[in-house]
Amino acid sequence: MALDNDKVVNSLGFAKTPAETRVVVAMSGGVDSSVVAAQLAEEGYDVVGVTLQLYDHGAALAKKGACCAGRDIHDARRVAEEMGFPHYVLDYENTFREAVIDEFADSYLAGATPVPCIRCNERVKFKDLLETAKDLDADCMATGHYIQRKMGQKGPELHSAEDAARDQSYFLFSTTPEQLDYLRFPLGHLPSKEATRALASRYGLSVADKPDSQDICFVPNGNYASVIEKLRPGAADPGDIVDVDGNILGQHKGVIHYTIGQRRGLGIGGLGDPLYVVRLDVDKRHVIVGPKEMLATRTIPVREINWLGDGKFSDQSERHVAIKVRSTRPPRDAIIRPISDTEAEIELLTPEEGVSPGQACVFYETSGSRILGGGWIWRGY
């Protein structure tokens, strides 16, 4: 029976049957994206699975069990075979290196704290892969991210996942309104990861019990410094650990081994009150340490803002929001003061510790689940 286009839409929001709706599923090889593909295939959609090879999975930088490595490509292909839909592997190694890995290395060398997973979503998955989906005449692209797309009065809105413990909104703030119109996130409403694994078992997927990937896909065991040394030989030049007055307290084996807020592993014990890394001076090769109170930040400059709220960002008057400066921290009350369409000053109502250039600053409604956008912290403290 034909659908009455004025009254009925399918589960992806289109006024046609699932069989008439083509959806490209971005498949990492993990349980989340595999469940999305299986669920949509079972509902009768015209599913096309696409997996990106983001780096040479035989190289030293590759991490076993990480997103988009060799085993994961095999697992994604196997799920496609089990559910009976086509699957393609696209070589995005050069794109990934240029758009994500090189900037990661350069930012780290500049004393910043980069978040490459956000850049990967922004510059590869939701840019090049999304265009590939359109080239395949897909009506939309679906992913296994834990976040929700809801229709508001002025179009689709981005909302936090139902399960706060799995919410990935911090990593997706740079999704543009145009991209959001095309994307779908079928897992965002689920109450827990256990519910996802239950669906995987119900579909009989071989990845139902596969462990989640950990850390950044191209960083083995979370050891950033070792990766930087491979990418940028000579990056680990030694230097001095100094206090805020410039007094030398010790030596370090390379600025790349330190992050803002670090306390352990400084090798300068016995100097009285605990000292923390409060700033990195790459040019002088100085790791600058001070007391914990020096980590407290109340004003944060942000640029490269992607605004997902209503209206034009620069037309906003100062606005009370909640912000996150790290994915693992709870939102903090703050005031946004726009400077231009892409720049703003953020005032925290309560100081936050360990804020570092290179981190993302993501804006949320003070009440409710909507993500209003975000930007990049760009100046040292």
Side-chain angles (χ1 to χ4, degrees):
M1 179 182 295
L3 292 178
D4 182 340
N5 289 355
D6 293 329
K7 297 180 180 180
V8 181
V9 295
N10 61 34
S11 64
L12 294 178
F14 297 99
K16 51 186 175 181
T17 66
E20 296 173 310
T21 307
R22 174 169 291 180
V23 51
V24 163
V25 179
M27 300 182 68
S28 68
V31 63
D32 299 325
S33 57
S34 296
V35 165
V36 168
Q39 177 179 319
L40 294 175
E42 186 188 62
E43 291 178 18
Y45 286 95
D46 178 11
V47 172
V48 178
V50 175
T51 300
L52 302 182
Q53 179 182 313
L54 297 182
Y55 49 81
D56 179 357
H57 51 262
L61 293 183
K63 176 176 181 283
K64 183 179 179 182
C67 166
C68 306
R71 178 68 197 179
D72 298 296
I73 292 172
H74 169 80
D75 289 342
R77 182 181 292 117
R78 184 174 176 184
V79 167
E81 291 173 352
E82 291 168 348
M83 298 303 300
F85 58 81
H87 174 261
Y88 301 98
V89 178
L90 304 180
D91 182 359
Y92 274 49
E93 183 180 345
N94 289 337
T95 299
F96 185 67
R97 174 174 283 275
E98 293 169 3
V100 179
I101 296 180
D102 283 345
E103 182 186 75
F104 168 83
D106 293 338
S107 296
Y108 219 85
L109 286 176
T113 305
V115 191
C117 296
I118 297 176
R119 290 303 196 190
C120 181
N121 289 326
E122 173 188 324
R123 297 175 175 178
V124 181
K125 294 177 181 176
F126 289 178
K127 182 175 179 287
D128 294 337
L129 179 55
L130 190 144
E131 289 305 316
T132 297
K134 291 180 177 179
D135 290 341
L136 291 170
D137 294 325
D139 294 283
C140 64
M141 186 175 88
T143 79
H145 289 105
Y146 287 88
I147 195 165
Q148 298 187 79
R149 175 188 183 273
K150 297 182 178 181
M151 290 304 298
Q153 292 184 345
K154 297 185 179 181
E157 301 173 351
L158 203 60
H159 288 255
S160 299
E162 184 69 24
D163 179 8
R166 304 295 303 182
D167 177 58
Q168 292 176 292
S169 59
Y170 182 83
F171 300 100
L172 297 170
F173 81 85
S174 60
T175 305
T176 67
E178 294 76 22
Q179 291 167 344
L180 187 58
D181 190 54
Y182 192 70
L183 290 163
R184 301 293 186 274
F185 308 106
L187 301 185
H189 69 286
L190 294 182
S192 67
K193 183 59 178 270
E194 289 69 30
T196 305
R197 292 196 183 279
L199 285 172
S201 297
R202 178 184 140 197
Y203 298 134
L205 301 183
S206 53
V207 297
D209 297 321
K210 184 176 180 178
D212 290 341
S213 59
Q214 302 293 325
D215 302 317
I216 297 169
C217 64
F218 59 90
V219 180
N221 303 315
N223 190 343
Y224 292 15
S226 67
V227 172
I228 301 300
E229 289 184 69
K230 288 186 176 73
L231 293 170
R232 301 289 187 269
D237 291 337
D240 295 325
I241 299 175
V242 303
D243 64 18
V244 292
D245 296 319
N247 299 309
I248 297 175
L249 305 179
Q251 280 70 47
H252 63 77
K253 296 182 180 180
V255 172
I256 63 172
H257 295 283
Y258 300 86
T259 57
I260 304 296
Q262 180 176 335
R263 175 187 172 188
R264 299 183 184 278
L266 300 180
I268 53 171
L271 296 176
D273 293 337
L275 295 173
Y276 298 77
V277 176
V278 297
R279 196 163 69 250
L280 299 170
D281 188 326
V282 177
D283 293 334
K284 294 181 179 179
R285 298 204 301 276
H286 282 177
V287 172
I288 302 159
V289 298
K292 188 176 183 180
E293 54 265 27
M294 290 193 67
L295 291 171
T297 299
R298 186 179 288 275
T299 302
I300 305 174
V302 178
R303 62 184 179 185
E304 292 184 63
I305 288 172
N306 178 57
W307 180 244
L308 291 170
D310 297 331
K312 189 177 180 181
F313 179 66
S314 58
D315 290 342
Q316 306 287 315
S317 59
E318 67 175 36
R319 177 169 181 160
H320 286 259
V321 296
I323 69 158
K324 278 189 178 186
V325 294
R326 295 199 182 191
S327 63
T328 55
R329 292 187 182 179
R332 306 287 189 182
D333 289 336
I335 299 172
I336 297 180
R337 295 188 175 94
I339 297 172
S340 70
D341 283 340
T342 59
E343 293 181 294
E345 181 180 88
I346 311 298
E347 179 187 348
L348 287 160
L349 301 190
T350 303
E352 179 86 353
E353 293 180 354
V355 177
S356 174
Q359 294 171 334
C361 180
V362 181
F363 318 146
Y364 298 81
E365 285 182 328
T366 53
S367 60
S369 60
R370 188 178 180 187
I371 294 98
L372 298 173
W376 296 93
I377 302 167
W378 65 276
R379 193 165 60 216
Y381 297 92

